[in-house]
Amino acid sequence: MTLKKLAACLLLVGIVIAPPARAVTYEPEPFRFCSGQAVHDFLRPFKRMPELREPRPDGTLPFGPPTLRVKWRDRMFTSGQYVGFVLYLYRRSPAAQLGWRASVTLSRVDWKGRRMKTIEVSRRRIPYLAKDHSASFSYGIVERVPGPYRVTAVIFNRQGRKIGGFGSYFRLVKPTYRPRLGLTADSYRRGSTAFGRLENFGTVLLDTPREFWIERFDGSSWSPIPETPRGWIGNELVEPGTSGACSAFDIPPTMPPGRYRMVRPITLLSSEGRAAGEFLVLP
């Protein structure tokens, strides 16, 4: 009896012959995990503070020409950096004659929004705005008191009448270095894919090569394995409180079970470090 006839007979009596084993298919990149999510919100305490009249999300104000925009500097900063804002015109808008005067106040406040110290008050004329002529208000912070700060602006027209105002909170933080390498799971089967991302829980910008390597623990020490991918090019910047792009490691079906870790190098100013995430490879 031929093999084809034997298979037909077995099928008639309810016995199914399993198809030949296929090549391993690795998982696609998990979109949610690898989409650069926030891992820590350093500005969340502002939500408990008294509200300020801020520009709309698109930077527009309830007064002035509709092409006017406000752009804030980074709202989290370290000592020696600048806070403030820029008034400018949207894209290729024609020049706007304003004739405004601005009074801008920089203050240190507490977490209830109460003014603790007035750091600087500046008054400035804004006669007009054009494509190549914006109005920048920047203030260097030399204080070393971590906590909230506030910038408020009051705008007056040519006749000295107040036409509007706006403001925003800023947070001074100490420079901290807290990188972590997060993984999609604590353990993986052989033939699956391990995804890892650099997570920045500190307050300083992380500069990291895109490369990574895999190490195995032999019971006493870690050592790189030859299955590590090669050929990574370029660097990645990971902002404070955010996560970076994913690194993917396709675990070979022949890889011995055991304890492994994914390692990413990190450059910080003139020093170097690294972040690692451990996982188990199961049979």
Side-chain angles (χ1 to χ4, degrees):
M1 181 181 293
T2 65
L3 182 60
K4 183 180 293 186
K5 290 182 178 179
L6 176 61
C9 294
L10 292 175
L11 185 60
L12 289 174
V13 297
I15 301 176
V16 178
I17 301 177
R22 297 181 179 180
V24 175
T25 302
Y26 300 111
E27 299 100 301
E29 183 178 273
F31 175 77
R32 183 176 177 84
F33 182 81
C34 297
S35 58
Q37 292 181 325
V39 295
H40 184 77
D41 185 2
F42 289 98
L43 303 181
R44 185 172 183 177
F46 290 160
K47 297 179 181 178
R48 302 192 300 266
M49 299 177 68
E51 291 187 5
L52 296 175
R53 184 178 299 172
E54 297 201 15
R56 301 185 183 101
D58 62 355
T60 59
L61 292 169
F63 59 90
T67 56
L68 177 67
R69 298 290 187 273
V70 179
K71 181 180 180 180
W72 294 103
R73 285 184 172 269
D74 289 340
R75 297 179 65 191
M76 188 185 78
F77 63 100
T78 57
S79 181
Q81 293 183 327
Y82 289 84
V83 300
F85 61 94
V86 177
L87 291 175
Y88 67 101
L89 294 180
Y90 181 68
R91 292 185 178 175
R92 299 182 179 180
S93 305
Q97 300 298 325
L98 301 177
W100 288 354
R101 287 190 299 107
S103 176
V104 183
T105 303
L106 168 64
S107 306
R108 176 162 57 85
V109 298
D110 64 14
W111 287 110
K112 293 184 178 181
R114 298 174 297 196
R115 185 175 69 240
M116 307 299 292
K117 178 183 179 181
T118 299
I119 300 173
E120 186 171 346
V121 178
S122 64
R123 294 176 174 82
R124 176 177 168 185
R125 293 185 179 277
I126 312 174
Y128 73 98
L129 293 176
K131 181 180 66 174
D132 56 351
H133 186 87
S134 59
S136 177
F137 295 81
S138 296
Y139 305 94
I141 299 289
V142 295
E143 298 225 351
R144 299 185 181 275
V145 182
Y149 289 73
R150 182 179 64 204
V151 172
T152 54
V154 181
I155 306 297
F156 303 87
N157 63 12
R158 287 187 177 89
Q159 291 73 39
R161 181 173 60 87
K162 177 182 175 181
I163 59 175
F166 54 91
S168 185
Y169 293 112
F170 297 81
R171 183 178 181 182
L172 173 63
V173 295
K174 294 180 179 179
T176 56
Y177 175 71
R178 292 181 57 203
R180 190 178 76 179
L181 199 142
L183 297 169
T184 47
D186 296 326
S187 60
Y188 300 91
R189 295 284 182 184
R190 290 182 292 184
S192 62
T193 306
F195 293 94
R197 67 183 186 184
L198 188 61
E199 300 171 343
N200 188 359
F201 286 88
T203 61
V204 297
L205 179 70
L206 297 181
D207 184 359
T208 170
R210 292 188 180 276
E211 67 175 315
F212 72 92
W213 62 88
I214 303 296
E215 296 179 346
R216 186 174 191 273
F217 188 66
D218 61 9
S220 59
S221 62
W222 295 92
S223 57
I225 63 173
E227 292 87 350
T228 294
R230 297 289 186 271
W232 294 93
I233 300 175
N235 277 36
E236 176 183 32
L237 299 178
V238 183
E239 298 281 349
T242 67
S243 61
C246 270
S247 299
F249 175 62
D250 296 329
I251 302 172
T254 57
M255 193 165 171
R259 185 176 168 192
Y260 295 83
R261 68 182 182 184
M262 179 183 291
V263 184
R264 287 280 302 270
I266 301 172
T267 302
L268 182 67
L269 298 178
S270 59
S271 61
E272 294 184 354
R274 62 181 188 172
E278 295 186 20
F279 61 94
L280 296 175
V281 172
L282 306 176

